C-alpha cells in the first residue's frame, strides 16, 4: 500500500505557516513555492522581481518544495490549497499529476513561443515529461569536497564517499533515498545500466541500504539544498552531495576552498506544477505569470545567477556571463562536455512508481 501523509485542516495551515487570506489579499499576491537559498534568489532576480514590477502583484516565497508532495496531499484532503504555483522535480510532478493534485497544461496555449515562432512544446521538447510539468532547468546532484581536507590525493570517483579510510571525516547526504540508493549500488559493483533493474527488487533495495550502512555513522543528513554548502564552508564535512548550482555559489561567489566532483552526477529536471482546484481568478493569475517567467529570455536570465541549464532550446544561446562575477557561465553548467564525461541518468518513471514504498523503507533504515 502506498503511504500517504494525512493531516487535519488546522495542521495543514500550521505546516505551511499561513492563515486564510481575504479575497482582496489573494487578488494582489501569489504564493510561489520553491527550494530556498541560491536557487530561490536566482528566481527572484530573473522572474519574480521583473514580474512584480510589471504587474504590481506581490510574490510570496515559500521554501517548502522538499515537502511539496506531502503538503499538497494534505491540503487537498483538507480542501484548502493555499499555494498558487509549486517548483518540483520531474518525478514529483509525475506523481502529483497521476494523483490529480496538479493541473494538466496545454503548453502551446499557456506558454510563450520561442522568438522564432517555435511552439513552446517543441522548444522544451522531451523535457516535458508530464502534461502537468512546465520545465525550468536542467541541473545535477553531485558532490563537493574541501580541497584542504582531502590530503594530497584528490577524489575523482563518486565512490570516494564510501572510502572513509582514504578520506576520513564526515560526509553529507540528502535525507531521502533518491540518488543515494543509486550511488550505493554503483559503488557496490552494479553496472550503471542495471541500477534500476536491481533497485526495483527488495533484494536490490537491501543491497543499497547495506552499502550505505558502511558510512551511516559518518553521515550528516541534509534536507535543504543550502545545508551542504554551509557544512563545507564551515569545515564540518570533508565532502557532501547537493545541487551543482549551490556548489557553484560556494566555490565561485564565496571563494571557499571547495571543488566539484562531477563523477556520476545525476541529471534531473526541475520545473513548475499548478495545484489542482485553484479558483478561476487564481488560475488566470498563475497562467499570466507562467507565460512571463518561462519565456526564452527569462530562462536565459536565470543562468546569470546560478549554473543551471535553461530548459528551452532557444534560451541556451543567450546564456552569457554571471550578472555579478562577470565570468562565463557555460563551463559551469552540468551539461558542459568537460563536466558530463561520466553522468548517471535519473529515471523519472521509476521514482514516480517506487518513491513512496522506498521512502518508507529508507526512513525505517534511518531510524535504526
Amino acid at each position: 500500500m502506498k503511504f500517504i501523509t494525512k493531516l487535519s485542516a488546522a495542521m495543514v495551515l500550521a505546516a505551511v505557516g499561513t492563515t486564510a487570506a481575504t479575497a482582496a489579499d489573494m487578488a494582489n499576491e501569489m504564493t510561489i513555492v520553491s527550494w530556498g537559498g541560491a536557487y530561490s534568489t536566482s528566481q527572484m532576480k530573473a522572474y519574480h522581481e521583473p514580474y512584480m514590477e510589471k504587474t504590481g502583484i506581490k510574490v510570496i516565497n515559500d521554501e517548502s518544495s522538499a515537502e511539496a508532495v506531502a503538503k499538497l496531499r494534505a491540503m487537498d484532503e483538507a480542501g484548502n490549497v493555499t499555494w498558487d504555483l509549486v517548483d518540483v522535480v520531474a518525478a514529483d510532478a509525475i506523481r502529483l499529476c497521476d494523483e490529480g493534485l496538479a493541473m494538466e497544461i496545454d503548453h502551446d496555449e499557456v506558454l510563450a513561443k520561442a522568438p522564432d515562432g517555435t511552439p513552446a512544446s517543441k522548444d522544451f521538447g522531451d523535457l516535458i515529461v508530464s502534461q502537468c510539468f512546465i520545465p525550468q532547468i536542467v541541473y545535477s546532484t553531485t558532490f563537493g569536497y574541501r580541497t584542504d581536507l582531502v590530503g594530497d590525493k584528490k577524489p575523482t570517483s563518486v565512490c570516494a564517499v564510501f572510502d572513509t579510510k582514504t578520506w576520513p571525516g564526515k560526509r553529507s547526504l540528502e535525507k531521502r533515498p533518491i540518488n543515494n540508493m543509486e550511488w550505493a549500488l554503483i559503488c557496490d559493483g552494479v553496472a550503471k545500466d542495471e541500477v534500476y533493474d536491481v533497485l526495483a527488487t527488495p533484494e536490490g533495495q537491501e543491497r543499497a541500504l547495506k552499502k550505505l550502512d558502511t558510512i551511516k555513522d559518518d553521515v550528516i543528513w541534509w534536507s535543504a539544498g543550502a545545508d551542504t554548502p554551509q557544512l563545507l564552508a564551515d569545515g564540518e564535512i570533508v565532502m557532501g552531495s547537493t545541487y551543482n548550482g549551490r556548489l557553484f555559489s560556494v566555490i565561485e561567489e564565496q571563494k571557499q576552498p571547495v571543488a566539484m566532483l562531477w563523477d556520476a552526477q545525476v541529471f534531473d529536471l526541475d520545473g513548475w506544477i499548478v495545484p489542482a482546484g485553484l479558483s478561476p481568478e487564481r488560475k488566470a493569475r498563475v497562467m499570466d505569470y507562467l507565460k512571463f517567467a518561462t519565456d526564452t529570455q527569462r530562462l536565459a536570465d536565470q543562468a546569470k545567477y546560478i549554473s543551471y541549464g535553461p530548459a528551452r532550446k532557444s534560451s541556451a544561446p543567450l546564456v552569457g556571463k554571471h550578472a555579478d562575477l562577470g565570468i562565463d557561465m557555460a563551463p559551469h553548467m552540468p551539461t558542459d562536455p568537460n563536466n558530463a564525461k561520466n553522468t548517471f541518468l535519473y529515471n523519472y518513471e521509476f521514482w514516480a512508481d517506487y518513491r513512496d514504498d522506498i521512502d518508507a523503507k529508507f526512513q525505517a533504515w534511518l531510524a535504526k
Side-chain angles (χ1 to χ4, degrees):
M1 175 185 287
K2 300 285 187 183
F3 174 76
I4 298 179
T5 302
K6 296 184 177 181
L7 300 174
S8 69
M11 290 172 69
V12 170
L13 292 176
V16 299
T18 187
T19 58
T22 67
D25 289 336
M26 292 303 295
N28 295 307
E29 64 186 35
M30 178 168 46
T31 299
I32 297 182
V33 182
S34 191
W35 301 91
Y39 184 59
S40 284
T41 298
S42 73
Q43 291 177 317
M44 179 62 72
K45 296 290 187 182
Y47 313 148
H48 302 343
E49 288 178 354
Y51 187 75
M52 287 190 285
E53 184 176 347
K54 175 176 179 262
T55 65
I57 299 294
K58 179 182 179 183
V59 172
I60 299 172
N61 268 318
D62 185 308
E63 300 180 0
S64 301
S65 281
E67 305 166 292
V69 173
K71 288 189 174 183
L72 281 169
R73 286 170 174 169
M75 288 181 190
D76 179 70
E77 183 171 322
N80 185 21
V81 178
T82 58
W83 293 345
D84 293 284
L85 188 63
V86 187
D87 187 309
V88 294
V89 295
D92 284 349
I94 294 170
R95 286 201 293 167
L96 291 166
C97 201
D98 289 346
E99 294 178 25
L101 299 177
M103 191 178 78
E104 290 193 4
I105 300 292
D106 183 331
H107 293 77
D108 290 337
E109 180 181 326
V110 171
L111 307 179
K113 295 179 180 179
D116 66 358
T118 300
S121 61
K122 290 187 177 180
D123 205 17
F124 286 108
D126 293 340
L127 301 190
I128 299 176
V129 296
S130 164
Q131 283 306 116
C132 299
F133 184 61
I134 303 100
Q136 291 178 81
I137 59 162
V138 178
Y139 73 97
S140 76
T141 304
T142 189
F143 282 85
Y145 62 89
R146 284 282 300 220
T147 56
D148 57 342
L149 297 181
V150 295
D152 295 334
K153 188 175 182 181
K154 308 298 183 188
T156 58
S157 164
V158 68
C159 298
V161 175
F162 295 92
D163 186 350
T164 55
K165 181 177 181 180
T166 304
W167 295 282
K170 293 289 186 179
R171 289 96 162 94
S172 67
L173 293 173
E174 188 171 7
K175 198 175 183 179
R176 65 174 190 168
I178 292 176
N179 299 331
N180 294 324
M181 303 287 271
E182 290 96 323
W183 285 324
L185 289 177
I186 289 170
C187 295
D188 201 45
V190 177
K192 287 197 296 183
D193 60 356
E194 297 177 6
V195 164
Y196 287 110
D197 290 336
V198 174
L199 197 54
T201 67
E203 295 80 11
Q205 294 160 19
E206 289 302 321
R207 180 175 175 180
L209 293 175
K210 186 175 180 180
K211 183 67 174 177
L212 288 167
D213 260 331
T214 64
I215 57 170
K216 189 176 183 181
D217 292 342
D218 297 296
V219 173
I220 296 175
W221 300 98
W222 62 267
S223 298
D227 292 348
T228 287
Q230 189 61 57
L231 290 166
L232 285 166
D234 292 343
E236 293 186 31
I237 58 173
V238 66
M239 62 183 71
S241 69
T242 191
Y243 314 123
N244 74 283
R246 304 304 181 94
L247 291 170
F248 170 85
S249 180
V250 79
I251 294 168
E252 297 295 340
E253 296 174 355
Q254 300 177 33
K255 302 298 182 184
Q256 295 289 340
V258 175
M260 198 89 80
L261 178 62
W262 290 106
D263 184 60
Q265 61 166 318
V266 182
F267 278 174
D268 202 350
L269 306 175
D270 195 84
W272 302 113
I273 62 97
V274 181
L278 297 184
S279 69
E281 295 80 12
R282 292 173 67 189
K283 179 180 172 182
R285 184 183 57 208
V286 168
M287 295 305 163
D288 183 67
Y289 172 87
L290 281 172
K291 187 171 186 178
F292 174 85
T294 63
D295 71 15
T296 294
Q297 186 61 58
R298 237 59 59 178
L299 291 182
D301 286 347
Q302 187 177 8
K304 295 178 182 177
Y305 304 99
I306 199 162
S307 56
Y308 297 142
R312 278 187 181 261
K313 297 182 185 76
S314 61
S315 299
L318 303 181
V319 173
K321 296 183 181 296
H322 190 279
D324 300 318
L325 302 178
I327 60 175
D328 185 4
M329 292 298 286
H332 298 280
M333 297 294 171
T335 49
D336 182 82
N338 289 324
N339 303 331
K341 293 177 180 178
N342 184 32
T343 61
F344 183 80
L345 300 179
Y346 180 83
N347 189 318
Y348 312 108
E349 292 292 346
F350 174 88
W351 281 110
D353 291 341
Y354 286 86
R355 176 71 185 272
D356 288 328
D357 294 333
I358 296 181
D359 261 350
K361 187 173 290 188
F362 185 80
Q363 296 304 323
W365 171 81
L366 277 179
K368 289 181 181 178

